[in-house]
Amino acid sequence: MAKDLKYAPIRAFILIYIVLIVIGFVALLLPGAATRPLTNIESLFTCISAITLTGLQVCNFADIFTFQGQLIVLILIECGSITIISFSLYFGWLLGKAHLFTDSVDLLKTEISPLNAYLKILRKTVIYLLFFELVCSGILYAFWTGVDIHFSVAEKLKYAFFHGISVFCHSGFSNLEGNFSNPHVSHSYLLLLALTGVIVLGSIGYAAMFDLISIKRLRERMLDPHKNWTLQTRVALYSTVILIAGGSIIWFIMERNHALKGQKLVEAAFTAIFNVTGARSAGFYSVPVSMVGYWIMILYMLLMVIGSSTSSPGGGIKTSMFYKIGKSPSNLSNLNSFGIFAAGVIIVSILALYFTNPLFSLRSIKFEMISAFTNTGLSYGITPTLSAAGKYILMADMILGRLGFPILMYLYLKRKPGVREDVLLS
């Protein structure tokens, strides 16, 4: 009985994803979702990519999907975001870390039932997402005036609303042809800067955001200037700044005479910052991956693996885990299950992709696989032309990346509960 209770949240977590995939798969096959009938594999791949917040695509999303189809994908992205954030916080509550993301006395009580706790967390997650997505949509609408061509009010609303949700949720989907490398927006640097802010806002996670804007905690810090942010918040903010700043400097130096050639200093800086920020699990870019050099691809893969912060919709191993590894390298033996899991998936997937798609370079296969497994969505451009077997492999990688790490993290921390002033890791 105790064993069943231990695994109940995990079973619910998996079941929700199965239900979402089935519903999304059927919805995308309905008439009117695309300008032509989608194949089963196109529908399934797009559905899984949206629900896992990855963004890899096997067909031209902006060109083939109608307004109805794009709306279905947007709903799947929203459902995927709500699921991953709410379960991340729920696992935190089960492990005694609810103080990191709530001041609710009821939620902090040990006698509250798991179902009631999850429903409360789910409600908070929905309110949090809707509020910030509307704010981000408004910001993007205001900055959409600087593009090269004139957009009507209806078009601006469509693009701003879609990207307000998609970018904040780190989904990698864009209803612009060519993502933000589209020539009409790729040089709209104020828009790129606004998008960067939306990505960062979505990447720091609910727990850090709550600590930053909670009225109660703001009042406490005003009364006591020495009261610091929680460790969770500090890790989220400092790691975000360090990764983006360091990555942008490297990107700027390495691409100054290539992708950035002809741009002014400030314009080049904005381009570098946006592309590095987008590589941290968001999957957005203004310079296609195929146009950057080998070492920038290595940088991208490192950023994708680290990912965003916990309790955010982003993927990767999370900055909190990276912090734990850096802080206590002597305890890495306790994390063998994560290393074995990740190494096993990566090695098997790369070999399987290579043998089923021998015409593609090993470099492009490694990049595409890591992008899928870390739920980032940056693409070398080979996904649409992969064999059917290759596409199924990437689908499996997207699901394993989204479900595998949170489940392993929960089981690990269930055996080794953290101290009160610790960080969320799942």
Side-chain angles (χ1 to χ4, degrees), residues 169-188:
C169 293
H170 288 209
S171 75
F173 279 89
S174 174
N175 56 357
L176 283 167
E177 184 74 32
N179 205 286
F180 288 95
S181 67
N182 186 298
H184 296 304
V185 298
S186 61
H187 299 294
S188 301

Side-chain angles (χ1 to χ4, degrees), residues 114-146:
L115 178 59
N116 286 336
Y118 179 68
L119 292 177
K120 286 178 179 289
I121 290 170
L122 182 61
R123 186 178 65 218
K124 286 177 176 288
T125 302
V126 171
I127 294 172
Y128 159 79
L129 269 178
L130 291 177
F131 173 76
F132 281 104
E133 285 166 355
L134 286 174
V135 170
C136 292
S137 297
I139 292 171
L140 295 182
Y141 179 83
F143 280 92
W144 219 276
T145 56

Side-chain angles (χ1 to χ4, degrees), residues 349-423:
S349 296
I350 289 176
L351 290 175
L353 277 172
Y354 187 72
F355 284 118
T356 55
N357 298 270
L359 297 179
F360 293 108
S361 67
L362 189 58
R363 176 194 299 185
S364 62
I365 285 175
K366 285 189 296 185
F367 189 90
E368 215 79 358
M369 182 270 142
I370 291 176
S371 179
F373 186 52
T374 58
N375 304 116
T376 302
L378 282 182
S379 176
Y380 201 79
I382 68 170
T383 296
T385 51
L386 288 173
S387 65
K391 292 170 184 174
Y392 281 113
I393 292 168
L394 287 188
M395 282 188 260
D397 288 334
M398 289 188 282
I399 294 171
L400 288 172
R402 180 53 71 189
L403 300 182
F405 282 112
I407 291 172
L408 285 174
M409 190 65 68
Y410 167 72
L411 294 175
Y412 169 75
L413 292 176
K414 193 73 175 174
R415 297 192 304 268
K416 300 175 179 292
V419 296
R420 184 172 175 80
E421 178 60 16
D422 206 345
V423 290

Side-chain angles (χ1 to χ4, degrees), residues 102-118:
T102 184
D103 287 326
S104 172
V105 176
D106 291 338
L107 197 58
L108 294 172
K109 289 180 179 178
T110 54
E111 62 268 19
I112 188 173
S113 71
L115 178 59
N116 286 336
Y118 179 68

